[in-house]
Amino acid sequence: MSELFVRTLREDPADAEVPSHRWLVRAGYIRRAAPGIYTWLPLGYRVLRNVERIVREEMDAIGAQEVHFPALLPKEPYEASGRWTEYGESIFRLHDRKGADYLLGPTHEEMFTLLVKDMYSSYKDLPLSLYQIQTKYRDEARPRAGLLRGREFVMKDSYSFDIDDEGLAKSYAAHRDAYIKIFNRLGFEYVIVHAMSGAMGGSASEEFLAIAENGEDTFVRSPGGYAANVEAVRTPPPEPLPYDDAPAAHVEDTPDTPTIKTLVDLANARFPRTDRPWQPSDTLKNVVLMVSEVDGSRHPLVIGVPGDREVDMKRLAAQLEPAEAEPFSDEDFAAQADLVKGYIGPARFAGAAEPDAWLGEDSLTKIRYLVDPRVVVGTRWVTGANEPGRHIFDLTCGRDFTPDGIIQAAEIREGDSAPDGSGPLTLARGIEMGHIFQLGRKYAEALGLKVLDQNGKLVTVTMGSYGVGISRAVAAVVEGTCDEMGLCWPRELAPFDVHVVAAGKEEVVGRAAADLSVQLDEAGVSVLLDDRSVSPGVKFADSEILGMPTIVVVGRGLANGVVEVRDRRTGEQVEVTVEDALTEILAAVHDA
RNA sequence: CGGGGCGUAGCGUAGCGGCUAGCGCGUCUGCUUUGGGAGCAGAAGAUCGCAGGUUCGAGUCCUGUCGCCCCGACCA
């Protein structure tokens, strides 16, 4: 270790917030080179390669073949698929000396598709799975948390090519199984959730999330086994209610009630219900948004949700993609005088000139109106009358207003029922470690990947796409394993199997430590030997920060013919005689 | 791109218009020390993010700019 290129820091770096970032920097595993871009130092690089090794083994095991594309790519394939523009700002673009456009690959669907198109043309060549471990580039709006969201990151991406959907299902299942094996070996707790396929396109997709406080994704689980990213949760609409006996809608003066709370308070004071008090869930909250389409056009959108729920912007964004939504600004309100902030409702108030439906594409305003699935035919609401200080009561869906459709954008809350009826949902956070997609024919179609089938007819190939964040996995493992003393690697990922600390200045200590290290090395165990001439305290502290799973201390016990073997994770420590040390340590290493 | 915080030596920081920019860690030299981040003595290391401006005088005030961190909008 006296020669190892490493420097541990005694204090936390000021710019590191999350534990993985903090410890990887403090332990000298990585170093920041630029925003969201990190240099791998010797210890860190060994971990990264261990992750790669595991991924390779499991990908090879399902018959996927490794290839390697350039990271520097020409524009044309991405133009053909539409992603040159779709990816927008988050793609690194550059020019060669002739002015031709290039990009640093954010992902490689196009390149794989074209490669297969180039080489294969028959159904007999399929199925095929290819993968690569490649450095990817995305000019993230906000790189953060060290390796967890960088602008340069290492990813394993693989692609399956099949003649039909049945084949795709098989390839998808094979990858799914391989991923389960990979994530089991990486040694963190994870969950497989239903996901949105997002910009990738395609149908079914699932995410592998490492369960972690610092994760960016929120997911739900039910006791019955349902699991989904919140963005993918589909709230089922309740049965429609009969409304023949429902009272007619009526407008009431409700001064100074721009918020749900003030409205409910006033309703209880002035218009008390006989059966129970008014609740926020009796009101219909209408949120206005400005939607920007990919082509640059902008139009307002009103979303109706029960008053006790917020609109979840992430869920909304996932629904509208690739269009983007932002809250209605004051200028937007000024430009759209019909919309009365705080008193927006789907229907014109009774007695007005046009008492008909007020929102919706067939209505007077032509503003698209989408509602939460809970707003079904027959439900009765208290909602804005589109006049300052007035609300409509008993406004009945299907009778008094007709939404343009439903949207899954309301927040999901702890305790909500799972869509499949498998019980109440609990929420937790996770780090997206893997994402598998049944892409279908999007890219094959865009790029013309077709093969001849048994009947000599050209058919478009169907594809799957599967990613594992390799560099992210390093950080995710740290998030799940580090403690207040430092890193704490699972066996398969540790840069070295054993950390031998020579504690003591005596020559015999140094010699014994070195001898033991050589023996271990010859026995096939990788060893980090701390032979520095610093005080034992420094060595102990460093051994804990660096986090090798087994720490062997050769020091004062040597006088009695013993050395100490510590387990970094449990802190358990046993003394073994020098003669037994080798077998004991080998047992510890191979045991776990 | 919005909101907030912050840029002073490799790392962590003090300095709040006034002298030669201070301290701790780390680094180097020498001596002492060696089971929980040692002691003493000495040394190297900073155009105070950058560019303008105000002032007799700017790390300190103003403007701009670049960058970092956090929270939101976007994604492995």
Side-chain angles (χ1 to χ4, degrees):
Chain A
M1 210 179 137
S2 53
E3 290 172 4
L4 182 68
F5 186 60
V6 68
R7 183 112 303 152
T8 57
L9 301 177
R10 195 180 288 211
E11 278 159 305
D12 286 334
D15 60 354
E17 201 71 18
V18 300
S20 61
H21 187 194
R22 205 162 60 222
W23 286 117
L24 287 170
V25 172
R26 263 189 75 173
Y29 278 59
I30 59 170
R31 207 81 163 174
R32 195 186 77 99
I37 303 176
Y38 288 84
T39 303
W40 294 89
L41 303 180
L43 290 171
Y45 198 46
R46 289 179 75 105
V47 177
L48 183 73
R49 284 185 315 206
N50 284 338
V51 176
E52 289 181 357
R53 194 195 69 241
I54 291 171
V55 171
R56 279 201 176 90
E57 286 172 6
E58 299 300 340
M59 292 312 297
D60 292 345
I62 60 167
Q65 302 175 56
E66 185 169 9
V67 297
H68 196 76
F69 279 90
L72 178 62
L73 301 167
K75 169 179 70 168
E76 289 70 23
Y78 290 79
E79 269 196 323
S81 67
R83 291 208 290 190
W84 177 257
T85 46
E86 220 172 83
Y87 253 95
E89 296 269 76
S90 51
I91 213 165
F92 278 102
R93 298 153 202 271
L94 56 170
H95 306 285
D96 69 6
R97 61 173 69 206
K98 294 173 187 158
D101 286 312
Y102 285 82
L103 65 137
L104 294 176
T107 174
H108 284 74
E109 277 78 6
E110 288 82 353
M111 302 308 294
F112 274 87
T113 308
L114 288 172
L115 182 70
V116 174
K117 179 187 177 186
D118 197 24
M119 295 181 57
Y120 278 5
S121 52
S122 160
Y123 74 96
K124 291 181 186 169
D125 297 322
L126 305 182
L128 170 69
S129 283
L130 299 176
Y131 78 99
Q132 68 169 342
I133 291 175
Q134 185 38 286
T135 305
K136 308 285 187 186
Y137 298 86
R138 292 186 197 169
D139 193 359
E140 292 283 343
R142 184 156 84 89
R144 59 174 290 276
L147 295 179
L148 284 177
R149 174 162 301 284
R151 298 197 295 170
E152 177 186 289
F153 57 95
V154 179
M155 179 168 137
K156 186 285 301 180
D157 50 324
S158 45
Y159 305 86
S160 65
F161 302 87
D162 285 280
I163 191 77
D164 54 21
D165 290 345
E166 205 179 314
L168 171 59
K170 272 187 204 154
S171 298
Y172 184 87
H175 269 89
R176 196 176 188 276
D177 289 346
Y179 274 34
I180 288 170
K181 292 196 177 103
I182 289 169
F183 292 115
N184 284 343
R185 289 175 69 181
L186 288 180
F188 50 66
E189 224 192 325
Y190 70 94
V191 57
I192 305 174
V193 302
H194 297 289
M196 298 287 290
S197 41
M200 217 52 94
S203 51
S205 97
E206 291 172 288
E207 285 174 341
F208 289 70
L209 299 179
I211 299 169
E213 282 287 306
N214 287 309
E216 295 180 282
D217 287 16
T218 306
F219 67 94
V220 299
R221 275 186 292 190
S222 76
Y226 176 81
N229 193 306
V230 275
E231 291 166 21
V233 175
R234 291 286 157 273
T235 303
E239 287 299 310
L241 302 170
Y243 54 83
D244 291 346
D245 300 332
H250 49 105
V251 177
E252 302 292 350
D253 284 323
T254 53
D256 303 319
T257 53
T259 65
I260 297 296
K261 184 180 185 312
T262 53
L263 175 61
V264 170
D265 289 349
L266 181 131
N268 278 320
R270 303 258 297 268
F271 314 104
R273 286 178 68 128
T274 51
D275 51 345
R276 60 170 173 79
W278 291 104
Q279 294 164 1
S281 56
D282 296 320
T283 69
L284 179 60
K285 174 161 64 181
N286 297 290
V287 179
V288 206
L289 301 150
M290 185 58 84
V291 177
S292 305
E293 299 292 342
V294 188
D295 63 13
S297 65
R298 289 158 58 84
H299 59 85
L301 168 69
V302 177
I303 294 177
V305 296
D308 61 332
R309 288 192 189 252
E310 300 295 328
V311 171
D312 180 328
M313 291 307 281
K314 280 200 166 185
R315 277 172 48 80
L316 175 69
Q319 294 295 306
L320 296 179
E321 190 159 31
E324 290 178 8
E326 53 194 292
F328 224 55
S329 67
D330 289 344
E331 298 85 73
D332 291 331
F333 272 109
Q336 191 83 38
D338 295 346
L339 295 174
V340 184
K341 197 174 180 178
Y343 299 92
I344 296 165
R348 190 76 139 152
F349 59 95
E354 305 91 6
D356 302 330
W358 176 239
L359 292 169
E361 288 189 337
D362 298 330
S363 70
L364 300 168
T365 60
K366 306 286 184 199
I367 293 175
R368 194 165 161 74
Y369 185 57
L370 300 175
V371 294
D372 185 75
R374 294 170 187 84
V375 183
V376 290
V377 168
T379 50
R380 305 210 306 267
W381 303 94
V382 179
T383 191
N386 298 305
E387 282 277 296
R390 306 187 83 187
H391 279 87
I392 304 184
F393 286 63
D394 291 315
L395 191 76
T396 303
C397 182
R399 181 188 70 182
D400 302 323
F401 68 99
T402 307
D404 292 319
I406 64 170
I407 186 164
Q408 297 279 350
E411 63 177 319
I412 300 296
R413 283 203 301 245
E414 189 96 17
D416 285 352
S417 302
D420 63 357
S422 60
L425 297 175
T426 50
L427 269 69
R429 307 271 282 175
I431 301 166
E432 184 178 357
M433 295 312 312
H435 202 155
I436 54 180
F437 300 88
Q438 296 195 22
L439 278 185
R441 299 178 181 82
K442 172 176 171 174
Y443 295 94
E445 223 142 60
L447 299 164
L449 171 57
K450 294 176 183 179
V451 296
L452 290 170
D453 69 6
Q454 296 94 316
N455 306 317
K457 281 171 55 179
L458 275 178
V459 292
T460 302
V461 168
T462 184
M463 293 171 57
S465 143
Y466 318 88
V468 173
I470 304 268
S471 48
R472 177 180 281 181
V474 175
V477 168
V478 174
E479 288 292 329
T481 56
C482 71
D483 58 23
E484 63 288 344
M485 294 186 295
L487 298 171
C488 192
W489 294 108
R491 283 241 111 81
E492 278 215 79
L493 297 186
F496 294 94
D497 297 315
V498 178
H499 187 142
V500 175
V501 173
K505 62 170 179 179
E506 300 83 9
E507 210 178 304
V508 285
V509 169
R511 201 175 326 115
D515 286 348
L516 181 58
S517 299
V518 169
Q519 289 173 37
L520 286 166
D521 185 64
E522 285 169 352
V525 170
S526 59
V527 180
L528 179 64
L529 168 64
D530 193 347
D531 54 352
R532 298 174 299 174
S533 57
V534 294
S535 71
V538 173
K539 294 186 178 183
F540 293 143
D542 277 349
S543 74
E544 280 141 9
I545 291 176
L546 295 182
M548 302 321 140
T550 300
I551 299 168
V552 177
V553 180
V554 180
R556 65 180 175 198
L558 209 55
N560 307 318
V562 297
V563 298
E564 295 144 41
V565 180
R566 298 181 183 176
D567 184 300
R568 172 65 182 83
R569 182 182 293 278
T570 63
E572 281 167 21
Q573 174 172 328
V574 292
E575 291 195 343
V576 300
T577 64
V578 175
E579 295 75 44
D580 295 341
L582 184 64
T583 49
E584 286 290 332
I585 296 165
L586 288 176
V589 169
H590 294 128
D591 186 43

